[in-house]
């Protein structure tokens, strides 16, 4: 950790996924969509597909976004 650059804000303390989620929240008019890796799970034996729910929440107002 380089304390010299942190002192005046020259270091990022967020992950790339957090940055993309923030931009996505602004693009979605303030609605945060939790990032996910898997859209659905398919059982090889039965062929049954189970969708993974999308988790959302209002993070900022539409006016602010």
């Amino acid at each position: 950790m380089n304390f010299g650059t942190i002192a005046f804000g020259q270091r990022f303390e967020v992950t790339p996924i957090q940055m993309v989620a923030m931009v996505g929240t602004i693009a979605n008019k303030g609605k945060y969509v939790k990032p996910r890796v898997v859209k659905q799970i398919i059982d090889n034996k039965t062929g049954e597909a189970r969708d993974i729910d999308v988790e959302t929440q209002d993070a900022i107002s539409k006016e602010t976004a």
Side-chain angles (χ1 to χ4, degrees):
M1 185 179 304
N2 189 345
F3 293 109
T5 57
I6 292 174
F8 52 89
Q10 295 297 314
R11 182 179 162 116
F12 289 111
E13 294 294 327
V14 297
T15 66
I17 290 177
Q18 289 173 324
M19 294 281 283
V20 170
M22 181 266 310
V23 172
T25 299
I26 295 169
N28 288 328
K29 299 178 183 174
K31 186 169 291 283
Y32 170 76
V33 178
K34 183 177 179 183
R36 59 187 180 158
V37 178
V38 178
K39 181 178 180 181
Q40 67 180 194
I41 299 171
I42 301 173
D43 188 333
N44 287 339
K45 295 179 183 175
T46 64
E48 178 184 350
R50 182 176 52 133
D51 290 334
I52 305 299
D53 294 333
V54 177
E55 297 180 33
T56 64
Q57 68 183 31
D58 292 328
I60 57 176
S61 68
K62 290 180 182 180
E63 294 79 18
T64 303

